[in-house]
Amino acid sequence: MASGLRIGIVAGEASGDILGGRLMRAIRERRPDVRFTGVGGDTMLAEGLEALAPLSALSINGIKDPLLRLPSLYRLLRRLCGHFVGEGMDVVVGVDFNVFNLMLERRVRERGIPTAHYVSPSVYFWRRGRVKRIVRAADVVLTLFPFEPVFYQKRGGRAVFVGHPLADDIGLDDGSDRGRRRNREALGIEADRCVIALLPGSRRSEIAFMGQMFLDAARHLHNELTNPLFLIPTPTREVVDKVEALVAAGGSVGGPDVRVVHGHSREVIAAADMVLTKSGTATLETMLLRRPMVVAYKLGALTAWLVRRLQKSDYVALPNILAGRQLVPELLQQDADPERLAKALIAQFRRAQSDGEYRRACEHWHGQLRQGGADKAAETVLALAGD
């Protein structure tokens, strides 16, 4: 085997590819002789990954797809495990993609290779029983949130809080009035408009349950606000078509001014005065940009019942989970109707305008999460490798 540090690293999604690429860069800055082998996308390949399979080999969607691809996924699992063990990797890192990577990590760890899992599953929200399985698979879990390590420590595991990449990416000035003006100019939006960002989600089920509801909320807001403009950022062409069809079906004569923006979700949030969003990572991004928000979510009746039985957190929005209190309103299931959403959003906006508490809380958590995550993760991985 060639001399130098050998690290196996596997990402299964585009977000993991970005996170893995940053980690690789930070490790290489400390150990120029390192070699990376595994699975990743363009970002990781640009950082020198020796790919054993393309990212598409792991990219799966829905419920049916993984079942159909189970034999090929199992063959890739065995191949990766055999290669990492046979080549004597100094450490193996699984980047998110929890089910596959935790199985891989457990197998190589049982064969004497140290393992790290980058991004904890949402054990703080539900299915805490997974912690025991994660502890058996990973020598260390690299977490994005400061409250996560305790779940592992209580069960004999080790976890290190390294910070959230969004907090590193979003500048402290991006949420300022100057940042708002800059993003409006980039998006071609008039400076004097009252801008409301609508983020109903990108999955088909989310658009079905919340797309029309958000547009109906826009109609209520249109009657209450002066010269409002509603922006809906969409990640893919397919989502653009679905949202534009909803907007067209509602008509525009005398109604709200709604514009669909392909991509640029962060710029849309930064350009906005207030945000109506589904639960998820968008709530964290909105908080880091210090925009007043209301969080909504709707599921089918059976799915909602199952989630309520499994849910362990009092909140669904990340700002509230971080703060341990209701920092932003959450309107879920039957509480999420257009009129209530509109009223709650106006009230939250006015509260944020008159009281600096929300902005101070956003700034506090931005500072807490802004840890230089790739550097902290690199130091932890190198220590695990005995470097």
Side-chain angles (χ1 to χ4, degrees), residues 307-385:
V307 169
R308 280 195 298 269
R309 289 181 63 86
L310 294 170
Q311 181 177 335
K312 299 300 182 182
S313 171
D314 292 332
Y315 304 105
V316 301
L318 285 167
N320 294 341
I321 294 171
L322 279 167
R325 61 186 177 89
Q326 186 170 291
L327 188 62
V328 301
E330 298 180 1
L331 281 75
L332 313 174
Q333 293 303 106
Q334 68 272 12
D335 292 331
D337 69 65
E339 186 174 3
R340 285 181 179 175
L341 292 175
K343 288 181 177 178
L345 188 58
I346 290 173
Q348 181 73 353
F349 174 69
R350 289 173 177 166
R351 191 158 43 243
Q353 291 291 98
S354 62
D355 181 359
E357 180 188 1
Y358 177 70
R359 176 173 287 270
R360 288 192 295 272
C362 293
E363 291 171 348
H364 167 77
W365 287 109
H366 197 161
Q368 291 292 305
L369 297 176
R370 191 180 176 87
Q371 297 287 319
D375 290 324
K376 290 189 71 172
E379 291 165 3
T380 304
V381 169
L382 288 172
L384 189 63

Side-chain angles (χ1 to χ4, degrees), residues 39-75:
V39 180
D42 291 343
T43 306
M44 292 170 63
L45 290 170
E47 295 298 332
L49 176 71
E50 299 170 15
L52 298 175
L55 188 69
S56 59
L58 290 175
S59 298
I60 53 178
N61 296 293
I63 297 174
K64 186 178 179 180
D65 192 27
L67 292 175
L68 293 174
R69 295 181 56 191
L70 194 59
S72 63
L73 290 170
Y74 182 69
R75 287 194 295 271

Side-chain angles (χ1 to χ4, degrees), residues 125-139:
F125 187 76
W126 64 350
R127 295 175 60 197
R128 292 184 181 174
R130 291 176 291 175
V131 173
K132 293 180 181 178
R133 294 196 296 274
I134 298 167
V135 167
R136 289 196 294 268
D139 287 286

Side-chain angles (χ1 to χ4, degrees), residues 64-339:
K64 186 178 179 180
D65 192 27
L67 292 175
L68 293 174
R69 295 181 56 191
L70 194 59
S72 63
L73 290 170
Y74 182 69
R75 287 194 295 271
L76 180 56
L77 178 70
R78 291 187 60 185
R79 181 183 170 205
L80 290 171
C81 181
H83 178 85
F84 292 158
V85 173
E87 292 294 316
M89 293 292 161
D90 294 289
V91 64
V92 168
V93 182
V95 186
D96 212 351
F97 205 63
N98 297 313
V99 174
F100 184 93
N101 272 333
L102 288 169
M103 290 176 64
L104 174 64
E105 290 159 26
R106 184 172 180 180
R107 285 175 175 233
V108 299
R109 189 186 188 200
E110 287 172 348
R111 291 160 177 79
I113 298 175
T115 58
H117 191 75
Y118 197 0
V119 183
S120 170
S122 303
V123 295
Y124 55 85
F125 187 76
W126 64 350
R127 295 175 60 197
R128 292 184 181 174
R130 291 176 291 175
V131 173
K132 293 180 181 178
R133 294 196 296 274
I134 298 167
V135 167
R136 289 196 294 268
D139 287 286
V140 63
V141 180
L142 307 171
T143 78
L144 307 186
F145 298 111
F147 54 77
E148 292 178 298
V150 67
F151 291 98
Y152 297 94
Q153 292 161 3
K154 285 182 177 179
R155 291 160 180 82
R158 178 172 174 245
V160 176
F161 165 57
V162 299
H164 202 288
L166 278 179
D168 291 329
D169 291 347
I170 294 174
L172 300 177
D173 182 60
D174 290 349
S176 67
D177 291 337
R178 181 170 51 194
R180 181 186 285 107
R181 290 192 298 270
R182 184 171 61 245
N183 282 281
R184 287 193 180 192
E185 183 177 340
L187 293 169
I189 299 169
E190 303 91 324
D192 62 344
R193 298 296 295 269
C194 176
V195 179
I196 302 94
L198 305 176
L199 287 81
S202 58
R203 296 188 182 95
R204 185 177 304 174
S205 60
E206 291 171 338
I207 294 171
F209 278 110
M210 290 179 289
Q212 189 60 57
M213 179 177 66
F214 277 32
L215 289 172
D216 290 340
R219 292 185 178 89
H220 286 282
L221 290 162
H222 172 72
N223 296 326
E224 298 292 331
L225 300 170
T226 302
N227 197 24
L229 170 64
F230 300 89
L231 301 180
I232 307 178
T234 52
T236 65
R237 186 71 248 176
E238 180 186 9
V239 177
V240 169
D241 293 341
K242 289 177 181 177
V243 173
E244 285 182 340
L246 281 177
V247 173
S252 59
V253 178
D257 183 359
V258 181
R259 301 181 193 175
V260 180
V261 181
H262 189 188
H264 304 289
S265 63
R266 184 175 304 169
E267 291 85 350
V268 166
I269 295 170
D273 294 292
M274 61 192 92
V275 178
L276 177 59
T277 179
K278 76 173 188 74
S279 61
T281 305
T283 65
L284 179 64
E285 198 164 20
T286 303
M287 183 195 75
L288 294 172
L289 289 165
R290 306 198 289 277
R291 298 295 180 255
M293 79 181 97
V294 167
V295 179
Y297 209 79
K298 268 195 174 183
L299 297 164
L302 177 59
T303 306
W305 179 80
L306 289 170
V307 169
R308 280 195 298 269
R309 289 181 63 86
L310 294 170
Q311 181 177 335
K312 299 300 182 182
S313 171
D314 292 332
Y315 304 105
V316 301
L318 285 167
N320 294 341
I321 294 171
L322 279 167
R325 61 186 177 89
Q326 186 170 291
L327 188 62
V328 301
E330 298 180 1
L331 281 75
L332 313 174
Q333 293 303 106
Q334 68 272 12
D335 292 331
D337 69 65
E339 186 174 3

